[in-house]
Amino acid sequence: MKKFKKMLALGLALAMGLSLVACGDKKEESKDEGSSKDKIVFGTNAEFPPFEYVAANGVIGEYDGIDMAIAKKIAEDNNMDVEINNMEFDSLLLALDNGQADAVIAGMTVTDERKESYDFSIPYYTATQVMIVKEDSDIQKASDMDGTRIVVIQGYTGETCVKEMGYKYEAFKKGTEAVLELVNGKCDVVVIDSATAEKFVGDNKGLKIVEDKDAFAAEEYAIAVKKGNTELLNKINASVQKLLDDGTIANLSAEYLDKDTDDTATGDAE
Ligand code: GLN
């Protein structure tokens, strides 16, 4: 009993001591929530394997993929904590303006239009749009899409390409939804980025990829920051350059293209 009282007293003293410290220095307290490191918040849309998708054991919490591994390394290089803010692709760049993200890493293609309002890092990956069709499809080049039922993903560069070609199309919010339309025979072709197309074709039977290098230009993926945020951009660039030079990004790409990312087909981010 005596011992218990002693412990209680000790506990109380400790608690009081702690609360005194906590009250005494509010600034320290809020900064010290778990870590005193700076934090970088990356916005992404985890619907884009092998770059970002939801998995049981991701590199950053439930988020896995090439981009997520790169984000983690950028944070490590700069001694920062890392957090992922998963949202719709269409909202990503706006999130830079309203402070919901410090940087966007989402297999995002650098385009002139996007560059007008946001700054981009040095590119870290080259891709192109391709067409996913049923194995028995007659579509062999982009112009064969004329008059077929085309599906794109809303806000992706694939949508811009098809729009510029002047074809009618339907836009879906997620790549998985678009591919499901194709699998179910409700559309004839899905236009989407090459590496992601490979993943979807690998995960679903009866589909194939058709390329048309003349119709779809090469695209470069880069990390976006708010216009004028050169301080962060310089940090990101230094890290990306290092990861390119030492082969890390090439290795990650090979690793994740090989990896079973099938979690994505069912792993809804919401
Ligand atoms: N690369 C395409 C774009 O930038 C698609 C990116 C994505 O879906 N994450 O629009």
Side-chain angles (χ1 to χ4, degrees), residues 172-193:
F172 280 74
K173 286 227 186 246
K174 296 178 185 180
T176 42
E177 289 171 357
V179 170
L180 200 64
E181 284 287 289
L182 184 62
V183 169
N184 292 338
K186 290 188 185 152
C187 76
D188 302 302
V189 52
V190 173
V191 177
I192 194 165
D193 299 52

Side-chain angles (χ1 to χ4, degrees), residues 45 48 52 89 106-109 114 129 155-157 193 219 221:
N45 171 243
F48 198 63
E52 40 269 332
F89 188 77
M108 186 172 273
T109 305
R114 289 171 182 166
Q129 298 299 310
Y156 283 25
T157 36
D193 299 52
E219 299 184 10
Y221 294 170

Side-chain angles (χ1 to χ4, degrees), residues 17-265:
L18 281 178
S19 70
L20 274 178
V21 171
C23 294
D25 198 342
K26 269 257 154 66
K27 245 201 255 153
E28 261 310 297
E29 186 199 12
S30 58
K31 206 184 147 197
D32 240 339
E33 271 177 350
S35 156
S36 56
K37 282 196 221 164
D38 279 341
K39 184 174 74 178
I40 180 164
V41 180
F42 283 96
T44 200
N45 171 243
E47 299 282 347
F48 198 63
F51 295 92
E52 40 269 332
Y53 55 95
V54 173
N57 281 307
V59 278
I60 305 176
E62 56 175 338
Y63 302 109
D64 209 1
I66 300 167
D67 284 348
M68 299 298 97
I70 293 175
K72 191 175 178 182
K73 289 202 184 293
I74 291 172
E76 278 168 7
D77 282 348
N78 292 287
N79 195 29
M80 294 189 225
D81 284 328
V82 65
E83 192 182 304
I84 297 301
N85 194 353
N86 186 24
M87 61 188 89
E88 282 183 4
F89 188 77
D90 262 356
S91 314
L92 283 170
L93 290 173
L94 281 176
L96 293 173
D97 296 322
N98 62 29
Q100 288 179 311
D102 302 308
V104 166
I105 186 159
M108 186 172 273
T109 305
V110 185
T111 66
D112 288 342
E113 199 191 336
R114 289 171 182 166
K115 261 201 309 203
E116 266 175 35
S117 315
Y118 302 92
D119 286 341
F120 282 87
S121 71
I122 48 172
Y124 61 88
Y125 193 89
T126 306
T128 183
Q129 298 299 310
V130 299
M131 297 167 280
I132 311 180
V133 296
K134 282 260 175 87
E135 252 160 14
D136 59 0
S137 168
D138 292 333
I139 295 177
Q140 284 173 347
K141 50 188 187 315
S143 56
D144 293 336
M145 292 195 294
D146 196 2
T148 66
R149 295 165 301 173
I150 307 169
V151 162
V152 299
I153 327 312
Q154 197 175 306
Y156 283 25
T157 36
E159 178 175 15
T160 319
C161 288
V162 173
K163 198 186 270 174
E164 278 170 3
M165 287 171 182
Y167 302 140
K168 271 206 293 191
Y169 61 84
E170 200 179 338
F172 280 74
K173 286 227 186 246
K174 296 178 185 180
T176 42
E177 289 171 357
V179 170
L180 200 64
E181 284 287 289
L182 184 62
V183 169
N184 292 338
K186 290 188 185 152
C187 76
D188 302 302
V189 52
V190 173
V191 177
I192 194 165
D193 299 52
S194 38
T196 306
E198 270 183 52
K199 278 290 168 198
F200 287 145
V201 168
D203 292 344
N204 294 277
K205 278 207 179 83
L207 304 181
K208 67 175 181 187
I209 291 175
V210 178
E211 291 181 48
D212 186 341
K213 292 247 152 74
D214 297 327
F216 299 108
E219 299 184 10
E220 289 185 316
Y221 294 170
I223 299 161
V225 298
K226 198 170 172 174
K227 197 143 200 100
N229 191 355
T230 21
E231 197 191 330
L232 181 59
L233 194 61
N234 289 342
K235 287 179 181 166
I236 291 174
N237 275 338
S239 191
V240 170
Q241 190 63 59
K242 192 196 84 187
L243 298 173
L244 285 169
D245 290 345
D246 69 10
T248 303
I249 293 184
N251 289 338
L252 283 171
S253 305
E255 180 195 326
Y256 277 98
L257 268 167
D258 251 9
K259 204 169 175 164
D260 182 14
T261 56
D262 200 12
D263 273 22
T264 20

